[in-house]
Amino acid sequence: MLTKFESKSARVKGLAFHPVRPWICASLHNGVIQLWDYRVGTVIDRFEEHDGPVRGVDFHLHEPLIVTGGDDYKIKVWDYKLRRCLFTLLGHLDYIRTVQFHPNATQFPWILSASDDQTLRLWDFQKRSCLSVLTGHNHYVMCAAFHPSEDLIVSASLDQTVRVWDTTGLRKKQLGGPAGVEGGFPGMTDANGNRGTSAAAATALNVQAELFGTNDVVVKYVLEGHDRGVNWAAFHPTLPLLASAADDRQVKLWRMSETKAWEVDTLRGHANNVSCCLFHPKQELVVSNSEDRSIRVWDVSKRVGVQTFRREGDRFWILAAHRSQNLLAAGHDSGMIVFKLERERPASANGPGDKLYYVRGRELFCHDYARATGGSSGVDVPIASLRRVGQQAQTDGIGSGPRFLSYNQHNPTEGNVLVCSEVDGGCYELITFSLTNAGGSVTDGKRGSCLGPGVFLGRNRFAILDRQKREIVVKNLNNETTKRVQAPLPNVDCLYDGGASGRIILRADDRAVLFEVQSRRVIGELTAPKIKNVVWSPDGSKVALLCKYGVVIANRQLEQLCSISDTVRIKSGAWDVSPSGGTSSKLFVYTTLHHVKYCLSTGDTGTIRTLDNPIYATRVVKDQLFCLDREARSRVISIDTTEARFKLALSNKKYGQVMHMVKHSRLCGRAIVAYLQSKGFPEVALHFVRDPQTRFRLALACGNIEAAMESAFSLEQQQGLDGKARDVWGELGSEALRQGNHQVVEMSYQRKKDFDRLSFLYMLTGDSEKLRKMLKISNMRNDIMGRYHNALLLGDAAERVAVLEASGNLPLAYISANLHGLEDVAERIKVAIETQGGSVEGLMDKVSVGTKKGGRLLQPPTPIIRAGNWPTLAIKKTTLEDLSAADAGEEYEEEEAAPVSAATAGVAAWDDDDFGAPDAGVGGADEGFDMGDDDDMGWGDDLDDLGDEFGDDAAKAAPVDEMAALNEISDDAGFQMPPAGRPPAACWAANSSHAADHMAAGGASSAMQLLHRQIAASDFSALKGSMLACYLGSTVSLPGIPGSGSIIVPLMRNDASGHPGNDSLPRTTSTMRTLVSGVRQGYRFFQTGKFNDAKNSFSEVLSQIPLTIAESTNEANEMKEMLEICREYITAIRIKGAMAEAGSDPVRSTELAALFTHCNLQPVHLLLALRSAMGTSFKHKNYIVAASFARRLLELPDMKSERNADLRMKATKVLQKSEQMARNEHTLNYNENAAFTIDCKDFVPIYAGEESVKCSYSGSTYKGTEMKGQVDLSDGFCTIGVETIGLVTGK
């Protein structure tokens, strides 16, 4: 059994597969109906309107409908798209056992239901009415089902009978035709297999109806043979067979003819009531389940049991089969399982050249791709028939087919194939045949046992894995053992091809090891969880390790190149073998359940196409994928690998090929744009992106001011001058300012109406005339601050005084006029102040003149350069922008196009956008822009236009085209600015997985996430001091020159031999010396009895260890030892505190004293603990434990010294006295002879086999699961019961 999905819920009483989607509906005993996606294992929806258990459920074949029946006597029809119940059918008087839609529900909108009221009912769910009530059973009707193609219904009842009903009359009545008209729906036949009904038969039915009543539905057969009630009955999909399951623990097979039905055979084996049975939809099998907690599979033709699957503790109640896929489902007491009986992956292996060897049924075939004709993938040549092996050799049992196939690529003279299966624990068969006459001379008969697949090591050698000893056994082609090699790892469970002669890949747990058999050395090793297969590239340079949920690409030395993961299972994979195009051995195509995807060694992945059914890839040539389906039939499907080839060409720097594909291929989508941006080629995306917003972002990313400006104008036309358009001009201005193109900055600020920045820009560029225009605009806008600001930048004192006077600040205006020598203005302001009742006396005393702090005339700085843009750094264009620098010799071949040189392709690709043409810039004359030759280079400043909105008629003038003379600055556009260097903090976080490095980089969030994942830290208050120390200690602050900020200098731990560049790592404050000092301080406090201080010291060390980086493996091991020491001493101190609280309780105090001695303490401290425990137990007359403590005390090495002579004498006396008394006064929860750990909460022993949870950081253990999810009491910041990787030390 291959379990595909398993759910946990209340008892499942009804199951139904969706006919198309990967869904299954389960009705539960608690009244809930669950809709599951069994492929991803999630609940899609729940329906909860039934009152009581729901026993029957079914999907409509075409409509989004579900029908359910429950113990509330109701049949409900649900729409799972609307997520509600559409209507309820009432009529049954007792529990409803099963419900089913008619197989042809589009023509016959019928629902069949069976009930404990001893009837079956047929309903029309469109009219929402009952069509017919089928009576005849005299006990509960346990199930009822339509025949897949005929006018028949089968029902099973506890009256020990199975009844078959004929619905021909009802069908004719529903079709509405006269009695003699032939009817039926497509696929329906009568009992004779004839389509329709003859006129004579119709007349006979009418006569019967006249004499004996309705003939809508009549009983055709009554099958009697079971000794107890029948629980289930089912039709065979195609043959005239029935299967029934009953409480007599038997499954019976019945055959039907035109006039009668009879029992064929009885299948015995179940040990309790058989609750359900059905015919397998694709194989001649019967599957049954029972309350004996087992599922059994029976061979219909041999009528014997083939397989049995048991489940401890859960009884099975229901079975369901998928209509088109090889899937079964079973419901039990605690949920359900979706499973397959055997694997459907055909065993195959690539041979030399264009050949594929595979197994179909019991035949080994060679598929020759070279002999492909129109529409076919090649020709199948039979090689040999495979014998059945194992205990099921006579029944062709489930799971006995070949699982692995290996072809000997090292032998050019003859063909050697190893066929391996999992029968009886694993076996192999060696087949040898001639390559020239494949089907003529076949040698077989060489068999043996093995574990997993076999691998050919050379021309005449192959290796298998011994099942018992897990040794690598090397054999020759005569099946004789020549060598036995011990595997380098003890738990090897599979071996694969190593890609070269004498090499194999071993799988052990989640590791793959490349092993050379002759020299017995390990060449390479990597981590790959749940490896399923290994695929080598044609040139042997790369290998793809297919895992259950991912692919790992490595080189020939098994050094990992990339790793990708997926959410669904990986099915197969194949390397590209195209003879041209440059993708051979570089493009890996793999398949999942419903997709074909690709993977490059750079780690780039993508989806190529979707699949209706799973396939198994064997070969990729250009845009064709050769594969095998689940029936082992060779197929060819078309795929489009343009995206993969584009990414491959970009990573290989084949820029001519890249630009050719941009020009001629249909590359589009946000994914490609994002990919090009992430790889640093936004200018390439500009060539096929037409959306103005996206083009604007890309142009900014590559520093193309012209393209960005073009997109900004387009966005402005689309959106108008609202907030979004202004944001666009603001971003363009920022980028232009970064490049030093102040003319574009000026236009951007004008468009955005950013007056303050515009004024400052004019001051920097020395454009006094435009500053005066800005002053005029501020005056028209009544912007007092803007007016004063512009007057200040112009150095116009009179204007500043006028602004102060106009704003009502007369005292300030008087002072300013006096300071700047404007006596007439000052006198006028003085009169105005006195007129308002004020005085100017003392105003000038507030201003100190002639000193440093005194007033002075402010003048704007003189600009160094007034004309043109600022000088910018001349930077070489990228290869993709200046394709003349590309390798002209590179050629790229399309299947139907002539070769095009890279340079030619690149220039042609650029031609469309006119970016590179000197005479056709965005502002070229052919675009119709005005090329004015004003002093401002034809830009036009729009300052007069800005005044229009304030009513200044004199300022109105003809509109100036802002884009005029744009070609004047086109020489600076299109450059890629130098990339900014990475700050040290970014390098630290990228180069390390240690929380201390992330914290030093300022990434508190990522550091806490790492600690949470690695050691389950949840309360970071205890770690706050250590984390802040990491951050503050990783840099040095140096004071800068006066007026500037301090300089932050990063401190690095790997800069001894030179600056590490992007590989830098920070220094951290906490070192091994710090930890050792803390532990020693804790020892001193413990020795002197200062237990609280000792606990604080050890807790401080515990909080420092996660943020300490080990410099060597020895330091890493010492750090882990310190972790255990701190845990043991903290536990001992807490036990000591509990002893003080339990002083009056002799039992508890003796138990705690005993546990105190089991903490892993230093010998000198253990001596103190044993002395205390011996005294406590002796005082309370627990002589047995007192004697054990005395013995342990006397065995300590320190007891031999003279300073412990008195203690040695006391211990000897206690031992003698205890051995005389030889009894414990109290019953203690303590057994020194049994291994145990200490519960760190309640301080009781946890013996082996008892349930417990641990802290993944400190290792503290807690009895039971009560503390799971709570904070550890030893360290104070980690969550208990979370399984993590544990402490990461940095080495």
Side-chain angles (χ1 to χ4, degrees):
M1 176 190 290
L2 297 175
T3 303
K4 295 296 180 182
F5 165 68
E6 186 165 358
S7 72
K8 297 292 183 184
S9 65
R11 181 184 301 169
V12 175
K13 300 296 289 184
L15 287 172
F17 280 103
H18 193 282
V20 178
R21 296 181 179 177
W23 294 353
I24 187 168
C25 196
S27 58
L28 310 183
H29 197 263
N30 60 4
V32 177
I33 301 149
Q34 294 178 334
L35 184 58
W36 289 87
D37 186 322
Y38 55 79
R39 191 175 61 191
V40 296
T42 55
V43 176
I44 300 171
D45 214 336
R46 294 163 61 94
F47 307 102
E48 302 183 12
E49 286 189 19
H50 276 287
D51 184 13
V54 184
R55 302 177 186 273
V57 64
D58 192 28
F59 275 105
H60 194 283
L61 199 57
H62 305 293
E63 301 294 329
L65 300 179
I66 299 173
V67 61
T68 59
D71 285 6
D72 54 1
Y73 313 164
K74 296 176 183 177
I75 297 172
K76 290 181 177 287
V77 177
W78 313 76
D79 188 315
Y80 56 75
K81 284 188 176 178
L82 300 178
R83 306 178 68 181
R84 64 183 180 87
C85 177
L86 299 179
F87 55 88
T88 302
L89 301 175
L90 300 174
H92 279 295
L93 305 176
D94 209 335
Y95 298 168
I96 298 169
R97 294 286 179 172
T98 62
V99 287
Q100 185 189 2
F101 283 109
H102 195 282
N104 188 13
T106 53
Q107 187 172 4
F108 295 93
W110 296 353
I111 292 173
L112 173 65
S113 60
S115 170
D116 283 359
D117 63 6
Q118 305 180 15
T119 66
L120 291 78
R121 284 180 181 255
L122 280 167
W123 311 80
D124 187 321
F125 62 82
Q126 288 182 351
K127 298 177 181 176
R128 305 183 186 181
S129 62
C130 181
L131 296 175
S132 182
V133 181
L134 284 61
T135 59
H137 285 292
N138 53 28
H139 210 307
Y140 300 163
V141 184
M142 301 299 288
C143 90
F146 286 109
H147 193 283
S149 58
E150 299 183 12
D151 291 329
L152 297 176
I153 291 172
V154 66
S155 62
S157 170
L158 293 188
D159 63 6
Q160 304 180 14
T161 66
V162 176
R163 289 177 179 250
V164 179
W165 311 75
D166 191 339
T167 59
T168 307
L170 183 62
R171 170 173 59 82
K172 293 179 179 180
K173 182 178 179 180
Q174 290 298 305
L175 287 175
V181 178
E182 293 188 1
F185 59 89
M188 283 289 185
T189 62
D190 60 12
N192 298 319
N194 301 318
R195 301 276 176 178
T197 308
S198 65
T203 305
L205 284 171
N206 285 335
V207 171
Q208 180 183 354
E210 295 278 340
L211 297 174
F212 304 107
T214 179
N215 60 355
D216 289 352
V217 182
V218 296
V219 177
K220 191 169 185 181
Y221 316 116
V222 178
L223 309 178
E224 298 177 339
H226 283 288
D227 298 331
R228 292 193 179 179
V230 186
N231 292 317
W232 205 265
F235 285 114
H236 192 282
T238 55
L239 300 176
L241 292 178
L242 274 169
S244 60
D247 286 346
D248 58 7
R249 307 179 183 181
Q250 297 175 0
V251 177
K252 288 184 180 289
L253 295 178
W254 313 79
R255 182 175 290 275
M256 301 181 295
S257 69
E258 291 182 30
T259 56
K260 63 177 181 177
W262 63 96
E263 181 181 338
V264 176
D265 207 343
T266 301
L267 307 175
R268 296 179 176 87
H270 281 294
N272 207 333
N273 301 341
V274 187
S275 50
C276 188
C277 68
L278 52 80
F279 287 96
H280 195 283
K282 291 194 172 185
Q283 301 177 11
E284 292 302 311
L285 300 172
V286 170
V287 184
S288 63
N289 64 6
S290 166
E291 295 179 39
D292 64 3
R293 301 175 176 83
S294 73
I295 299 174
R296 291 178 182 263
V297 183
W298 315 83
D299 190 314
V300 174
S301 56
K302 304 284 193 310
R303 298 167 193 170
V304 294
V306 177
Q307 275 184 323
T308 302
F309 309 113
R310 297 190 183 278
R311 183 182 182 89
E312 296 301 326
D314 290 318
R315 297 168 295 175
F316 286 101
W317 299 102
I318 187 69
L319 280 170
H322 199 284
R323 293 174 183 267
S324 57
Q325 298 181 23
N326 188 18
L327 285 176
L328 300 171
H332 52 77
D333 282 336
S334 58
M336 67 167 173
I337 52 174
V338 178
F339 62 96
K340 293 196 298 189
L341 295 180
E342 62 179 343
R343 298 184 188 276
E344 296 179 278
R345 181 194 306 270
S348 64
N350 285 315
D354 297 331
K355 291 184 172 59
L356 170 73
Y357 292 89
Y358 68 93
V359 175
R360 184 195 306 146
R362 288 290 168 185
E363 289 287 332
L364 173 64
F365 287 90
C366 172
H367 187 80
D368 192 349
Y369 295 115
R371 297 163 64 183
T373 57
S376 70
S377 63
V379 176
D380 284 333
V381 179
I383 301 295
S385 296
L386 305 178
R387 296 184 185 178
R388 296 189 179 101
V389 293
Q391 299 175 354
Q392 300 174 352
Q394 301 303 316
T395 62
D396 196 12
I398 303 298
S400 63
R403 175 82 192 282
F404 308 103
L405 201 69
S406 299
Y407 181 84
N408 190 359
Q409 299 278 4
H410 312 290
N411 191 351
T413 58
E414 64 178 4
N416 309 121
V417 172
L418 270 176
V419 182
C420 304
S421 68
E422 294 181 337
V423 175
D424 297 339
C427 63
Y428 68 88
E429 180 178 356
L430 175 63
I431 299 173
T432 303
F433 53 90
S434 169
L435 291 176
T436 56
N437 185 16
S441 55
V442 178
T443 305
D444 63 351
K446 301 179 179 66
R447 298 178 178 83
S449 62
C450 66
L451 181 63
V455 174
F456 286 98
L457 296 178
R459 187 179 64 83
N460 55 0
R461 293 176 298 145
F462 67 92
I464 60 167
L465 193 62
D466 187 270
R467 286 194 315 217
Q468 281 77 29
K469 299 180 181 179
R470 301 294 172 96
E471 290 180 334
I472 302 167
V473 182
V474 181
K475 299 194 174 192
N476 59 23
L477 296 185
N478 294 323
N479 206 22
E480 299 167 345
T481 301
T482 60
K483 184 188 295 185
R484 286 182 175 269
V485 179
Q486 189 66 37
L489 299 172
N491 49 353
V492 173
D493 58 1
C494 194
L495 52 84
Y496 299 102
D497 184 19
S501 177
R503 292 184 177 184
I504 55 176
I505 292 179
L506 304 174
R507 182 182 74 186
D509 295 334
D510 287 345
R511 288 187 294 169
V513 178
L514 182 60
F515 184 67
E516 193 168 71
V517 177
Q518 186 66 29
S519 61
R520 306 191 181 193
R521 65 189 178 99
V522 174
I523 299 172
E525 182 178 345
L526 56 77
T527 300
K530 299 180 180 177
I531 302 173
K532 298 298 181 184
N533 199 5
V534 166
V535 184
W536 284 91
S537 62
D539 60 0
S541 63
K542 299 180 187 68
V543 60
L545 281 71
L546 301 184
C547 306
K548 190 172 184 179
Y549 292 105
V551 178
V552 179
I553 307 290
N555 61 14
R556 67 171 75 242
Q557 303 300 323
L558 210 65
E559 297 167 344
Q560 181 171 319
L561 301 178
C562 73
S563 174
I564 62 167
S565 59
D566 213 316
T567 54
V568 295
R569 299 185 184 188
I570 310 295
K571 290 295 181 182
S572 65
W575 289 93
D576 188 292
V577 295
S578 304
S580 61
T583 57
S584 180
S585 299
K586 297 178 181 177
L587 171 62
F588 184 72
V589 176
Y590 66 95
T591 66
T592 64
L593 204 60
H594 290 290
H595 289 95
V596 178
K597 301 184 178 182
Y598 69 85
C599 172
L600 305 178
S601 57
T602 56
D604 295 320
T605 64
T607 301
I608 296 176
R609 61 168 290 170
T610 58
L611 297 170
D612 295 329
N613 295 302
I615 59 170
Y616 302 94
T618 58
R619 176 185 174 91
V620 179
V621 181
K622 293 187 177 178
D623 284 341
Q624 287 186 316
L625 174 63
F626 297 85
C627 57
L628 294 173
D629 59 18
R630 283 180 161 171
E631 282 72 38
R633 302 288 178 183
S634 184
R635 294 174 53 193
V636 184
I637 61 174
S638 60
I639 56 176
D640 184 1
T641 57
T642 305
E643 181 183 317
R645 286 186 277 114
F646 175 79
K647 292 182 179 179
L648 186 62
L650 199 62
S651 65
N652 292 336
K653 299 182 180 180
K654 296 182 179 179
Y655 299 125
Q657 184 177 341
V658 168
M659 297 313 300
H660 185 277
M661 297 178 74
V662 168
K663 179 73 176 177
H664 294 91
S665 301
R666 295 178 60 188
L667 287 168
C668 59
R670 294 182 181 178
I672 285 289
V673 173
Y675 176 80
L676 287 168
Q677 280 191 278
S678 67
K679 294 297 182 182
F681 297 108
E683 64 274 11
V684 179
L686 274 174
H687 282 267
F688 55 84
V689 172
R690 293 291 171 261
D691 175 52
Q693 185 72 39
T694 309
R695 281 184 66 84
F696 178 76
R697 300 288 176 203
L698 291 170
L700 287 187
C702 60
N704 193 331
I705 296 297
E706 287 187 17
M709 209 154 38
E710 177 190 352
S711 301
F713 279 116
S714 300
L715 288 171
E716 186 179 86
Q717 291 174 2
Q718 291 178 7
Q719 302 173 356
L721 277 172
D722 59 357
K724 290 184 179 179
R726 292 189 179 187
D727 292 342
V728 166
W729 287 112
E731 292 178 38
L732 178 60
S734 299
E735 176 62 24
L737 190 63
R738 189 178 73 86
Q739 294 189 18
N741 194 334
H742 68 77
Q743 293 173 334
V744 177
V745 177
E746 178 187 357
M747 186 194 68
S748 300
Y749 289 167
Q750 289 173 3
R751 293 279 181 181
K752 195 180 178 185
K753 293 185 172 61
D754 196 340
F755 301 110
D756 292 338
R757 283 190 171 91
L758 201 54
S759 297
F760 192 70
L761 178 68
Y762 290 145
M763 188 271 291
L764 288 178
T765 56
D767 199 335
S768 302
E769 182 182 348
K770 291 183 180 177
L771 259 179
R772 293 196 179 279
K773 289 184 180 180
M774 293 300 299
L775 178 62
K776 182 181 177 183
I777 291 172
S778 299
N779 195 13
M780 288 185 290
R781 295 174 63 236
N782 294 323
D783 182 4
I784 296 297
M785 284 304 298
R787 185 177 165 192
Y788 187 83
H789 184 209
N790 284 294
L792 192 65
L793 295 178
L794 280 167
D796 191 341
E799 180 65 23
R800 291 206 299 272
V801 172
V803 172
L804 291 172
E805 186 179 1
S807 63
N809 293 301
L810 296 178
L812 286 176
Y814 177 77
I815 294 172
S816 183
N818 258 331
L819 284 175
H820 292 92
L822 304 174
E823 297 175 357
D824 295 340
V825 177
E827 188 63 31
R828 177 170 52 79
I829 296 173
K830 177 181 177 182
V831 172
I833 292 174
E834 291 175 347
T835 303
Q836 295 177 5
S839 174
V840 295
E841 293 183 6
L843 284 179
M844 296 307 296
D845 297 339
K846 297 180 180 180
V847 183
S848 54
V849 181
T851 63
K852 271 190 172 183
K853 297 182 179 180
R856 69 191 63 197
L857 179 62
L858 291 176
Q859 288 291 347
T862 303
I864 300 172
I865 299 176
R866 287 180 181 270
N869 275 330
W870 295 330
T872 55
L873 181 64
I875 304 168
K876 184 180 178 182
K877 293 183 180 181
T878 63
T879 309
L880 281 169
E881 288 180 290
D882 188 9
L883 279 177
S884 60
D887 183 8
E890 275 187 10
E891 292 190 356
Y892 173 63
E893 295 182 3
E894 285 285 345
E895 289 187 51
E896 300 178 3
V900 181
S901 70
T904 307
V907 172
W910 283 104
D911 286 347
D912 287 354
D913 292 323
D914 293 338
F915 289 150
D919 299 328
V922 179
D926 56 343
E927 298 285 345
F929 294 120
D930 181 14
M931 305 299 294
D933 42 15
D934 297 277
D935 292 339
D936 57 1
M937 298 179 63
W939 272 86
D941 51 24
D942 274 357
L943 298 177
D944 296 330
D945 295 339
L946 290 173
D948 293 349
E949 51 189 279
F950 304 106
D952 186 9
D953 296 334
K956 290 183 180 178
V960 179
D961 191 347
E962 297 83 2
M963 298 298 293
L966 186 59
N967 60 342
E968 296 287 339
I969 64 165
S970 62
D971 293 340
D972 298 322
F975 294 119
Q976 181 182 8
M977 298 305 290
R982 295 179 69 190
C987 299
W988 297 347
N991 294 340
S992 175
S993 61
H994 201 286
D997 292 331
H998 284 250
M999 193 62 216
S1005 175
S1006 62
M1008 289 191 286
Q1009 287 178 359
L1010 284 174
L1011 290 172
H1012 179 67
R1013 294 194 193 104
Q1014 292 168 358
I1015 60 172
S1018 57
D1019 185 357
F1020 292 94
S1021 58
L1023 298 171
K1024 181 179 179 180
S1026 302
M1027 294 177 77
L1028 288 176
C1030 281
Y1031 175 64
L1032 297 174
S1034 61
T1035 55
V1036 170
S1037 179
L1038 299 178
I1041 60 174
S1044 67
S1046 299
I1047 302 172
I1048 305 298
V1049 180
L1051 300 176
M1052 291 172 278
R1053 66 173 182 266
N1054 58 341
D1055 59 351
S1057 59
H1059 196 285
N1062 287 339
D1063 297 328
S1064 66
L1065 291 169
R1067 289 186 182 273
T1068 53
T1069 54
S1070 181
T1071 62
M1072 278 298 296
R1073 185 176 298 176
T1074 311
L1075 300 180
V1076 170
S1077 174
V1079 170
R1080 286 177 177 169
Q1081 186 179 22
Y1083 284 161
R1084 286 194 294 270
F1085 285 137
F1086 193 88
Q1087 181 75 22
T1088 55
K1090 298 177 180 178
F1091 294 115
N1092 287 334
D1093 294 337
K1095 184 181 178 184
N1096 292 336
S1097 296
F1098 289 121
S1099 297
E1100 180 68 20
V1101 174
L1102 274 183
S1103 67
Q1104 290 175 347
I1105 287 177
L1107 296 162
T1108 305
I1109 299 176
E1111 296 180 358
S1112 64
T1113 306
N1114 290 337
E1115 281 196 4
N1117 295 332
E1118 289 176 16
M1119 200 181 298
K1120 292 177 180 177
E1121 290 178 10
M1122 285 187 191
L1123 178 62
E1124 296 181 4
I1125 289 170
C1126 293
R1127 179 196 68 217
E1128 293 294 324
Y1129 271 87
I1130 289 174
T1131 304
I1133 293 168
R1134 292 179 57 232
I1135 292 175
K1136 190 70 177 174
M1139 290 167 61
E1141 295 176 2
S1144 59
D1145 185 351
V1147 177
R1148 186 59 180 155
S1149 59
T1150 306
E1151 290 174 353
L1152 291 172
L1155 294 177
F1156 189 48
T1157 66
H1158 286 272
C1159 295
N1160 191 8
L1161 309 177
Q1162 295 294 318
V1164 63
H1165 301 149
L1166 181 60
L1167 185 145
L1168 300 175
L1170 287 170
R1171 184 178 69 180
S1172 172
M1174 180 182 69
T1176 301
S1177 54
F1178 190 78
K1179 181 178 72 174
H1180 295 308
K1181 300 181 181 180
N1182 294 311
Y1183 297 111
I1184 297 176
V1185 291
S1188 71
F1189 296 143
R1191 289 192 196 96
R1192 289 172 60 191
L1193 190 60
L1194 292 170
E1195 290 170 358
L1196 291 177
D1198 288 353
M1199 291 296 290
K1200 297 178 181 178
S1201 64
E1202 286 301 322
R1203 68 174 182 272
N1204 292 323
D1206 292 342
L1207 180 58
R1208 185 168 64 245
M1209 186 178 300
K1210 289 181 182 178
T1212 306
K1213 290 180 179 179
V1214 168
L1215 180 60
Q1216 291 174 354
K1217 179 67 174 177
S1218 299
E1219 288 176 345
Q1220 290 173 4
M1221 304 305 293
R1223 289 288 189 276
N1224 276 344
E1225 181 72 17
H1226 307 98
T1227 302
L1228 304 176
N1229 182 15
Y1230 170 70
N1231 182 4
E1232 64 169 332
N1233 297 320
F1236 65 84
T1237 54
I1238 301 174
D1239 181 355
C1240 292
K1241 179 190 177 188
D1242 298 325
F1243 304 123
V1244 295
I1246 306 174
Y1247 296 103
E1250 292 185 348
E1251 187 179 16
S1252 62
V1253 290
K1254 291 182 69 173
C1255 173
S1256 58
Y1257 170 58
S1258 68
S1260 302
T1261 311
Y1262 298 86
K1263 194 170 185 178
T1265 57
E1266 179 185 350
M1267 288 293 289
K1268 187 172 183 179
Q1270 300 186 33
V1271 175
D1272 182 22
L1273 300 177
S1274 297
D1275 55 48
F1277 53 84
C1278 292
T1279 304
I1280 300 165
V1282 179
E1283 185 178 355
T1284 67
I1285 197 172
L1287 178 66
V1288 174
T1289 60
K1291 283 289 179 182

